[in-house]
Amino acid sequence: MPELPDVEIYRRHLDRHAIGRAVVEVHAPSPEILRHTSPHALGRQLHGQRLEESGRHGKYLFARYAPGHWLVMHFGMTGRLASVQASDELPPHTDLVLALDDGSRLAYVAPRKLGMVDSAEDPRTFAAEQGLGPDALALGRREFEELAAGRRGGVKCWLMNQEIMAGIGNVYSDETLFQARLHPKTAVAALDSAELGNLFSSLSRVLTTAIEAGADPERRPDDFLLPHRRRGATCPRCGTGIERIQACGRGAFYCPGCQDRRPG
DNA sequence: AGTACCACCTGACGGC
DNA sequence: TGCCGTCAGGTGGTAC
């Protein structure tokens, strides 16, 4: 689930439940998720430090615990963040726990262990080293159009390419293309300025709507593709059956009735 | 440059 | 009910 809107919700969770609190204990039962560090080293670095500020770039979440020192979290396909009271049990598959000075514990939970925890000097440097493009939510229309210049491939692949813009995954690329009424394999180069503007406003609306709904699957508007993003469902706009194709190596859902633009 | 495929790891779901 | 194959919201490496 963790694409940009989900990670933004985790960031707000961090702000509400952990920022301003000091770390009193670190427990890393799954060392394999730690990149460039060990449970011991991470514990030594974080112990006694106050979490001071949160940040997000694309699908990466950051927490500053000292000047020039940020904890970095990526959630892979199934990771999430949870807060539990000292008296409560940790969720299954908890891979990293920060015990805080108010008695709560912040749990990084990644059942498939496809995520990772890292450290960085600051989010901007990390994003640059990682080769990430600008955050998809921070883009302006002009910059969005510039990112499309000279691109050869399909629009779904383009939206999901983290080096071009960061934060969009399989689900929200499908949603954006549904809102913009574009077939997933439409060539980026075939879009004129007005169509790119329409795609940009669809993207912005999809991301902000998802965040306002708490990235909660239960609270998605019914005119979104998301509640209907499965085999056998029908389009909320025109009633045509939703289809699934392979695009950019992923299963892409779309409505053949109203997403009619083709490659070329 | 762009896309497909596999690997990583575990859980959920549909068919039999 | 139980077993088994298939698929899954991410990234990185390889191959074409």
Side-chain angles (χ1 to χ4, degrees):
Chain A
M1 186 191 304
E3 300 182 35
L4 190 155
D6 312 277
V7 179
E8 175 62 19
I9 297 305
Y10 299 154
R11 192 190 67 74
R12 294 178 184 191
H13 177 96
L14 204 60
D15 276 351
R16 202 169 313 130
H17 299 285
I19 298 301
R21 305 258 62 93
V23 178
V24 296
E25 195 185 338
V26 178
H27 181 47
S30 306
E32 62 267 33
I33 61 139
L34 302 179
R35 194 179 288 182
H36 303 131
T37 187
S38 66
H40 182 72
L42 189 67
R44 209 177 45 216
Q45 278 200 297
L46 280 168
H47 187 83
Q49 302 289 335
R50 192 169 297 279
L51 300 176
E52 293 166 328
E53 184 185 359
S54 69
R56 184 191 55 72
H57 188 107
K59 303 171 188 173
Y60 290 86
L61 180 62
F62 302 88
R64 181 163 62 87
Y65 59 89
H69 291 275
W70 294 73
L71 188 67
V72 184
M73 286 171 273
H74 190 282
F75 297 91
M77 273 171 73
T78 53
R80 62 191 173 89
L81 211 54
S83 286
V84 295
Q85 293 310 305
S87 53
D88 292 338
E89 268 190 50
L90 290 165
H93 306 293
T94 295
D95 298 318
L96 175 68
V97 187
L98 305 187
L100 305 177
D101 62 359
D102 63 352
S104 72
R105 291 177 294 172
L106 184 69
Y108 168 93
V109 187
R112 285 167 67 185
K113 293 186 172 52
L114 296 178
M116 66 90 182
V117 172
D118 202 346
S119 58
E121 191 183 325
D122 67 84
R124 188 177 288 244
T125 307
F126 180 86
E129 284 172 358
Q130 204 71 22
L132 299 176
D135 184 77
L137 200 56
L139 280 175
R141 177 182 165 160
R142 173 170 299 189
E143 190 178 8
F144 184 82
E145 272 195 60
E146 286 167 359
L147 291 173
R151 290 289 163 179
R152 295 266 190 107
V155 66
K156 181 177 173 68
C157 242
W158 180 71
L159 286 172
M160 289 201 303
N161 186 339
Q162 303 300 298
E163 295 181 10
I164 293 171
M165 65 189 92
I168 305 164
N170 200 23
V171 166
Y172 286 101
S173 62
D174 276 2
E175 185 64 59
T176 297
L177 294 172
F178 176 76
Q179 297 297 327
R181 305 187 186 221
L182 292 173
H183 187 282
K185 292 191 174 181
T186 307
V188 174
L191 301 174
D192 64 22
S193 179
E195 290 169 317
L196 280 170
N198 179 45
L199 179 59
F200 172 72
S201 60
S202 294
L203 174 62
S204 304
R205 193 171 64 250
V206 163
L207 294 178
T208 53
T209 303
I211 292 167
E212 280 165 17
D216 181 351
E218 305 294 311
R219 290 169 58 202
R220 285 159 180 166
D222 192 60
D223 63 339
F224 267 41
L225 172 66
L226 287 177
H228 315 274
R229 194 180 174 279
R230 60 180 189 277
R231 278 204 170 92
T234 54
C235 173
R237 220 161 32 204
C238 72
T240 305
I242 297 298
E243 283 189 13
R244 182 181 186 271
I245 57 171
Q246 286 294 117
C248 207
R250 313 296 298 275
F253 290 87
Y254 77 108
C255 171
C258 45
Q259 288 171 261
D260 53 351
R261 284 294 299 270
R262 307 295 303 189

